Amino acid sequence: MATAAAASASEPEAEAPAGPQAEGEEDEVNADGSRRKVLSRAVAAATYKAAGPGCEAPEEGVSDSGGDEEDYAMASSAESSPGECEWEYDDDEEKNQLEIERLEEQLSINVFDYNCHVDLIRLLRLEGELTKVRAARQKMSEIFPLTEELWLEWLHDEINMALDGVDREQVYELFERAVKDYICPDIWLEYGQYSVGGIGQKGGLEKVRSVFERALSSVGLHMTKGLAIWEAYREFESAVVEAARPMADFLTPSDREQTFDSQLEKVHSLFRRQLAIPLYDMEATFAEYEEWSEDPIPEVVAQSYAKALQQLEKYKPYEEALLRAEAPRLAEYQAYIEFEMKGGDPARIQLIFERALVENCLVPDLWIRYSQYLDRQLKVKDLVLSVHSRAVRNCPWTVALWSRYLLAMERHGAEHQVISATFEKALSAGFIQATDYVEIWQTYLDYLRRRVDFKQDSSKELEELRSAFTRALEYLKQEVEERFSESGDPSCVIMQNWARIEARLCSNMQKARELWDSIMTKGNAKYANMWLEYYSLERAHGDTQHCRKALHRAVQCTSDYPEHVCEVLLTMERTEGTLEDWDIAVQKTETRLARVSEQRIKAAEKEAALALQEEEKAEQRKRTRAEKKALKRKKKPRGADKHKADEDEEEEEWGDDEEEQPNKRRKLENSVPPASDAQDQEAEMGLFGRSAPTDAKAPSKQERAAALKRDVPKVAHDSTKDSVTVFVSNLPYSLAEPDAKLRPLFEACGEVAEIRPIFSNRGDFRGYCYVEFKEEKSALQALGLDRKVVEGRPMFVSPCVDKSKNPDFKVFRYSTALEKHKLFISGLPFSCTKEELEELCEVHGTVKDIRLVTNRAGKPKGLAYVEYESESQASQAVIKMDGTTIRENTIKVAISNPPQRKVPEKPEARKGPAGPMVPRQMYGARGKGRTQLSLLPRALQRPGAPAPQAENGPAPKPAAPASTATEAPMMSNADFAKLLLRK
């Protein structure tokens, strides 16, 4: 199994037509000769050790690493870039010193400035400050994982400065740190080569073999860079064979078998192991084995080689895709990962994850997926914890990685002190949202709760849990709120959990009540669900007296759903209370509901007053336009000019009407008028169902339209059953037999008493209905069906609430904030299907959902929302898909960022310099009515007042003379509504 090691941020991939080779391999050709000389000289000492005690070492045997290190330094210098081992001194040394001081001061302020660390190391190295550059590198490596380039530069400097065995051990330790940050084929190769230089020391031969074996475990499966490790290891063992060959004839048969023949078998074994792995340039390795081996190639080896070649052909498309793409190649790596996951080889899966993280080390989703695979599949403690540790070092701002790290440490039995220290690091990581701190605190508190033995009345762990809860609340109040200017826990989730633990596990209801009092004082007393949660806790672990007290307070304080709280109080008194308790409850609930109803009536009156003012302003604007048109008519143009002027006037007239009401749809005079907006709004609020037509003497077209109406009975909605009823909307208008279609879906939640679909005057289904259950718990369970797709549209399931009594009740269906994992695509052909778009988008990642935007008639609008599995996939798709062409249509692709919904202001705040603004709510759910006819009864019309005129009728006549200005204005719809409200 391959050992987890991560790769550098700019891992060069292979490229070559016959057998792709790693980038930069041409630069290493000159150094290969020096390396092989180093191998041949260095293995001389190992040869005499392998020969046994019967052979004497030569006079000039390699007893130390002096000469070898010189050769190795020469070989290393052949690879290094020009000027790497030379310190260049410019004329502006003083300027560099000033820059160094500035960088050091900046790091003292912000130690997490990555670029500042890199610049400081570069300048210190340039100035030859060896001690300071070593300290700077050490400080940076403690905070950040270093790239392969930074490690190689550091290692080369330390190798050149190493003088004795102690220095060599320090270099070994540095190599061990380097291979843990990322998967580093070049560092492993350097490590192996450097260890050869110490072969003359005690245990040097075993050290070399150990390093190479670990390198093979880490990167030996790398198709483009693993070949270099295999060849270096094989050359080392071959050099040992060649050095021992002259002595083989002088050894006894037993000594020869133990030394020379066993060493020869090591080389054979390396060839066989390498040829069984799919690697580039396998053919050359097989030819080399045939030339080197004195015996024919065994059949088993040939079969393994043939099988590896077949596997190589399967992997080539993914490797070639990596070669063609540009960094960071996230989509190509993800496709490669999917392929390896299907194969199921843990070593290869781990390797491709590590390779992907080389260039995408700042992608949290990739770390999460990798750690999740290790947590669920491999479950190797050292490997899992190592990956989690590297993940939080690369992406410390991601709270999900820290939470997973803490859970993994608990899962693998880490010490409590270690977990606590990791949690403290997480708090100082610098999360980007206030809610992130709540999440990490919840994870840690859950861990502490699992350590407590609640069978004991008191314990050290329980005291630690309580002190942690106290500290969490103080931290969120002092640190988080001051930094983000908002509370990360407005619903007091942490305090609620603490109260539940005290009540259920510690049987301490007194403490739980104190906590709930604190929760209610933080602005949660107006929410019914908070009171009902407290009532449930008191009901299960408290007493009836405190339950009654909580519900009485809830009736007085709740502002969102007071009816529901009142019903709960009455239900409790009906089953458990005395007559006196029942009378008190009835009195309080009636008083509260009467006050709520009065407040809602006052709010409606204010809205009506605003509507009246807006109507007056609209009339004034119409009179002003009429005066301007009258002045134009007095010019009396002649001939063609007159005809053109008439056309201009007509266009201007219609344009004014459209500017006045942009959402109004004009209809012909003989068209069938739709149902009134008041009926639409009341039906949606659950006041009644389908309304019957009232015009018995309609024109001929209306008669033909009436003939199309279906005989649908009128259904009255019973508002007393709202608790067992759900409101279902956003259904397709083309849904045939809604009752038969929806009943199987909702019967899974409980027994359905009735399904009431709502139809229009023409008998068409209006896209929403009511589903009534036998029990309240079934209605609550049915809310889980929200967003379930029914015939291609997401069905909305929400509580049945009378909006006339609860005007503040709203259920937002779609997000109004930035959705980084979702794309918004525009410019699509109207004929584009969901399957075609999915096929186009799947190339760039895993598509979770696609929604084509249609109008109310179900016709496409050329827009779509595509939801990917992660933010990184969505970002990659934007880059690749934006500006592409589909059926001669150039599409635009962007991250979904819906506009913020307009929150209606209070009536007092709507008044501006130009007067009060009319709220959209006065026109109902779909804007202003189409007819705009005056519904004022004749009995209320004043004598001499002109008849009200439809806004979509002919152009208004010129304004009346000034003498008529003193007459009372005509009554409008808003006036009539106001009169009704005053009764």
Side-chain angles (χ1 to χ4, degrees):
M1 181 183 301
T3 305
S8 83
S10 59
E11 172 190 356
E13 291 292 342
E15 58 174 356
Q21 300 175 353
E23 290 184 9
E25 188 172 346
E26 293 81 358
D27 299 335
E28 298 179 359
V29 172
N30 296 331
D32 286 342
S34 300
R35 285 178 177 172
R36 294 183 181 181
K37 290 180 181 179
V38 172
L39 285 171
S40 300
R41 296 176 182 178
V43 299
T47 304
Y48 295 103
K49 288 185 179 181
C55 296
E56 296 181 359
E59 296 179 359
E60 297 180 358
V62 182
S63 58
D64 54 32
S65 58
D68 296 329
E69 291 195 19
E70 293 179 2
D71 292 335
Y72 180 77
M74 294 174 60
S76 301
S77 62
E79 298 174 344
S80 59
S81 59
E84 184 178 1
C85 299
E86 299 178 0
W87 299 106
E88 298 179 359
Y89 295 95
D90 300 330
D91 297 336
D92 53 353
E93 287 186 20
E94 183 177 356
K95 181 179 179 181
N96 289 343
Q97 290 295 333
L98 293 176
E99 180 66 13
I100 289 173
E101 293 177 0
R102 187 190 68 81
L103 292 173
E104 289 176 343
E105 182 179 359
Q106 185 172 345
L107 285 176
S108 64
I109 300 173
N110 180 18
V111 74
F112 293 98
D113 191 335
Y114 184 90
N115 294 327
C116 189
H117 281 284
V118 175
D119 294 340
L120 178 61
I121 292 172
R122 178 181 56 81
L123 287 176
L124 291 174
R125 190 169 185 266
L126 186 65
E127 293 296 318
E129 300 285 349
L130 302 182
T131 304
K132 290 185 177 181
V133 74
R134 180 180 290 172
R137 284 167 169 166
Q138 179 67 26
K139 185 176 181 180
M140 182 180 181
S141 66
E142 292 174 356
I143 302 173
F144 299 105
L146 304 185
T147 63
E148 192 173 34
E149 290 77 10
L150 292 175
W151 274 119
L152 286 174
E153 183 181 80
W154 189 358
L155 289 167
H156 288 163
D157 292 345
E158 295 294 341
I159 288 171
N160 292 332
M161 292 186 291
L163 300 176
D164 52 18
V166 176
D167 293 339
R168 175 173 288 276
E169 290 299 325
Q170 292 178 353
V171 174
Y172 284 155
E173 293 177 1
L174 197 61
F175 269 113
E176 291 294 333
R177 291 174 54 191
V179 296
K180 290 179 181 178
D181 276 351
Y182 297 107
I183 185 172
C184 307
D186 292 340
I187 292 181
W188 276 112
L189 187 61
E190 291 289 336
Y191 194 5
Q193 297 286 3
Y194 182 72
S195 63
V196 172
I199 197 174
Q201 296 180 346
K202 183 179 180 180
L205 183 60
E206 289 75 11
K207 176 69 175 179
V208 175
R209 286 172 175 162
S210 172
V211 171
F212 274 115
E213 286 293 339
R214 290 170 54 204
L216 292 180
S217 298
S218 178
V219 296
L221 297 177
H222 199 302
M223 294 188 63
T224 57
K225 291 195 171 185
L227 181 63
I229 305 294
W230 285 101
E231 288 184 347
Y233 191 11
R234 199 174 63 248
E235 287 175 4
F236 167 74
E237 296 291 357
S238 298
V240 174
V241 171
E242 294 301 324
R245 188 180 296 276
M247 300 178 297
D249 296 336
F250 301 99
L251 297 175
T252 62
S254 59
D255 292 339
R256 176 186 176 91
E257 182 178 356
Q258 293 178 358
T259 57
F260 182 76
D261 293 344
S262 62
Q263 182 61 36
L264 197 63
E265 179 59 27
K266 286 184 174 62
V267 181
H268 280 284
S269 176
L270 284 174
F271 268 115
R272 290 194 294 267
R273 289 167 58 189
Q274 180 180 350
L275 292 174
I277 297 174
L279 297 171
Y280 276 119
D281 206 14
M282 290 184 63
E283 297 83 355
T285 304
F286 187 77
E288 182 182 353
Y289 187 28
E290 287 182 324
E291 180 181 356
W292 181 85
S293 178
E294 299 176 355
D295 300 326
I297 305 298
E299 183 64 23
V300 178
V301 177
Q303 292 177 357
S304 300
Y305 168 70
K307 184 178 180 181
L309 279 177
Q310 294 178 356
Q311 293 177 346
L312 180 62
E313 294 301 322
K314 297 179 181 179
Y315 290 114
K316 273 187 177 180
Y318 298 96
E319 293 290 346
E320 291 172 357
L322 291 174
L323 293 175
R324 292 191 300 267
E326 298 180 357
R329 300 177 280 197
L330 181 58
E332 289 76 15
Y333 274 120
Q334 288 177 334
Y336 206 161
I337 290 173
E338 292 293 339
F339 174 74
E340 292 287 12
M341 295 283 278
K342 293 178 181 178
D345 185 353
R348 299 201 65 89
I349 293 173
Q350 184 184 346
L351 177 64
I352 192 58
F353 267 117
E354 295 288 356
R355 290 178 61 185
L357 288 169
V358 171
E359 301 174 7
N360 301 277
C361 58
L362 301 181
V363 180
D365 289 341
L366 192 58
W367 283 107
I368 290 175
R369 188 177 182 187
Y370 184 23
S371 59
Q372 180 177 327
Y373 168 76
L374 296 178
D375 286 334
R376 296 179 180 179
Q377 301 297 328
L378 295 187
K379 302 180 181 180
V380 180
K381 177 181 178 180
D382 294 338
L383 177 59
V384 171
L385 296 183
S386 172
V387 171
H388 279 289
S389 176
R390 290 162 49 210
V392 297
R393 290 187 69 200
N394 282 274
C395 306
W397 63 87
T398 307
V399 67
L401 293 175
W402 286 101
S403 298
R404 288 174 174 271
Y405 190 14
L406 293 176
L407 292 174
M409 296 176 74
E410 180 185 2
R411 192 178 297 117
H412 291 282
E415 295 182 358
H416 175 61
Q417 293 79 3
V418 177
I419 297 179
S420 299
T422 303
F423 169 71
E424 296 298 333
K425 290 181 181 178
L427 288 180
S428 61
F431 299 132
I432 58 179
Q433 294 180 354
T435 55
D436 292 343
Y437 289 93
V438 179
E439 181 177 347
I440 194 65
W441 268 109
Q442 282 185 298
T443 303
Y444 184 61
L445 292 170
D446 292 344
Y447 156 72
L448 294 179
R449 193 265 306 165
R450 288 188 286 266
R451 297 179 66 243
V452 180
D453 182 8
F454 290 98
K455 296 180 181 179
Q456 303 178 8
D457 295 337
S458 179
S459 63
K460 179 181 178 181
E461 290 79 7
L462 180 58
E463 295 303 323
E464 184 177 3
L465 173 62
R466 286 171 172 163
S467 62
F469 269 115
T470 304
R471 183 190 168 201
L473 298 178
E474 294 177 354
Y475 185 90
L476 293 177
K477 181 179 180 180
Q478 298 177 1
E479 301 291 337
V480 177
E481 291 186 13
E482 290 180 2
R483 176 181 173 187
F484 295 95
S485 299
E486 63 176 281
S487 174
D489 191 12
S491 300
C492 301
V493 176
I494 291 180
M495 203 176 296
Q496 289 187 47
N497 292 336
W498 190 4
R500 295 188 188 101
I501 291 173
E502 293 289 351
R504 296 175 182 173
L505 301 178
C506 301
S507 301
N508 188 357
M509 275 304 300
Q510 182 63 30
K511 181 64 177 178
R513 294 182 185 114
E514 294 176 2
L515 292 170
W516 274 103
D517 287 340
S518 299
I519 292 173
M520 293 307 181
T521 57
K522 295 183 181 298
N524 294 299
K526 60 184 178 181
Y527 300 117
N529 65 319
M530 300 296 289
W531 284 108
L532 295 179
E533 179 69 20
Y534 176 35
Y535 167 73
S536 300
L537 190 67
E538 194 72 60
R539 187 78 169 172
H541 305 282
D543 52 55
T544 305
Q545 188 62 29
H546 283 91
C547 289
R548 181 176 290 109
K549 183 178 179 181
L551 289 178
H552 279 250
R553 292 175 59 193
V555 169
Q556 297 298 325
C557 300
T558 302
S559 60
D560 54 352
Y561 300 110
E563 296 88 351
H564 191 32
V565 175
C566 293
E567 183 179 353
V568 174
L569 174 59
L570 294 176
T571 301
M572 188 194 77
E573 299 297 0
R574 180 178 286 112
T575 56
E576 299 182 18
T578 63
L579 178 59
E580 182 181 0
D581 295 333
W582 171 261
D583 291 339
I584 295 175
V586 170
Q587 181 181 357
K588 285 195 173 184
T589 54
E590 288 180 351
T591 304
R592 176 59 177 164
L593 292 179
R595 189 183 305 116
V596 171
S597 178
E598 182 181 354
Q599 293 174 353
R600 291 170 180 169
I601 291 175
K602 290 182 179 179
E605 289 178 353
K606 290 182 179 179
E607 291 291 333
L610 291 173
L612 178 60
Q613 294 176 4
E614 185 60 26
E615 287 287 343
E616 293 175 354
K617 288 184 60 179
E619 291 295 331
Q620 180 63 32
R621 288 195 297 267
K622 292 171 68 175
R623 286 195 294 267
T624 304
R625 288 198 302 270
E627 292 176 358
K628 292 181 180 179
K629 292 174 184 177
L631 292 176
K632 291 182 180 179
R633 290 193 186 99
K634 292 181 180 180
K635 296 180 180 180
K636 296 181 180 180
R638 299 179 181 179
D641 293 339
K642 179 178 179 180
H643 179 68
K644 182 177 181 182
D646 292 339
E647 292 180 352
D648 292 341
E649 286 184 8
E650 183 178 358
E651 291 178 0
E652 182 180 0
E653 175 185 341
W654 285 104
D656 291 341
D657 290 340
E658 291 177 355
E659 182 179 0
E660 173 72 13
Q661 300 174 24
N663 293 330
K664 182 176 66 176
R665 299 180 181 177
R666 294 187 296 273
K667 295 282 187 176
L668 296 177
E669 293 182 2
N670 293 331
S671 63
V672 180
S676 65
D677 293 330
Q679 293 177 346
D680 289 346
Q681 189 173 6
E682 289 175 345
E684 187 169 351
M685 292 187 297
L687 298 180
F688 51 82
R690 172 175 174 262
S691 59
T694 57
D695 190 3
K697 296 181 180 181
S700 58
K701 290 186 179 181
Q702 291 183 347
E703 292 176 356
R704 289 195 298 270
L708 298 176
K709 298 177 183 177
R710 301 192 308 185
D711 186 14
V712 181
K714 185 183 297 184
V715 180
H717 177 72
D718 188 358
S719 60
T720 61
K721 297 182 179 180
D722 285 349
S723 60
V724 295
T725 307
V726 295
F727 179 68
V728 184
S729 58
N730 202 48
L731 295 169
Y733 296 136
S734 59
L735 187 65
E737 301 297 334
D739 191 332
K741 180 69 176 179
L742 298 177
R743 186 172 291 273
L745 295 177
F746 288 96
E747 282 182 344
C749 303
E751 185 178 357
V752 177
E754 183 184 8
I755 295 181
R756 299 190 296 277
I758 305 301
F759 297 92
S760 66
N761 283 351
R762 298 173 60 90
D764 299 326
F765 180 52
R766 298 183 63 183
Y768 58 91
C769 66
Y770 298 88
V771 181
E772 180 182 333
F773 291 90
K774 293 288 187 181
E775 299 179 354
E776 183 176 354
K777 65 178 182 179
S778 302
L780 296 175
Q781 186 176 352
L783 298 177
L785 297 177
D786 187 41
R787 306 289 186 99
K788 183 176 181 61
V789 178
V790 176
E791 293 192 1
R793 290 177 66 89
M795 172 179 67
F796 297 161
V797 184
S798 57
C800 186
V801 177
D802 190 344
K803 293 183 180 178
S804 64
K805 298 180 180 179
N806 297 273
D808 296 333
F809 176 78
K810 294 181 181 179
V811 180
F812 292 102
R813 297 300 178 185
Y814 293 106
S815 173
T816 58
L818 182 65
E819 302 171 287
K820 297 183 180 180
H821 64 289
K822 188 180 293 186
L823 303 184
F824 175 69
I825 304 178
S826 59
L828 291 170
F830 292 152
S831 58
C832 182
T833 63
K834 182 177 180 180
E835 290 74 16
E836 294 175 355
L837 185 58
E838 184 176 6
E839 183 179 355
L840 178 66
C841 297
E842 280 182 342
V843 180
H844 310 291
T846 304
V847 178
K848 295 180 63 178
D849 184 36
I850 293 180
R851 182 168 64 90
L852 295 176
V853 182
T854 61
N855 58 18
R856 301 189 68 85
K859 296 182 180 179
K861 300 173 68 174
L863 309 174
Y865 289 92
V866 180
E867 182 178 357
Y868 278 93
E869 192 176 48
S870 63
E871 301 175 6
S872 56
Q873 294 179 357
S875 302
Q876 190 75 8
V878 170
I879 299 174
K880 298 294 181 66
M881 294 175 59
D882 187 33
T884 58
T885 303
I886 301 178
R887 298 183 189 174
E888 300 181 357
N889 283 35
T890 302
I891 64 174
K892 294 182 179 180
V893 184
I895 297 295
S896 175
N897 190 14
Q900 293 290 334
R901 297 180 182 271
K902 296 180 180 179
V903 180
E905 300 176 359
K906 295 182 179 180
E908 295 79 8
R910 294 175 182 266
K911 297 181 180 180
M917 298 296 292
V918 63
R920 180 174 174 82
Q921 284 74 6
M922 67 167 290
Y923 297 132
R926 297 180 178 83
K928 219 168 187 178
R930 298 193 181 108
T931 58
Q932 301 299 314
L933 299 176
S934 175
L935 301 179
L936 184 67
R938 294 188 183 91
L940 298 178
Q941 294 183 5
R942 299 190 179 184
Q949 180 179 338
E951 287 187 22
N952 60 343
K957 296 181 180 180
S963 60
T964 63
T966 59
E967 297 180 1
M970 63 180 179
M971 304 263 318
S972 63
N973 295 347
D975 297 328
F976 185 55
K978 188 174 180 181
L979 289 174
L980 293 178
L981 291 174
R982 288 180 178 177
K983 287 186 178 181

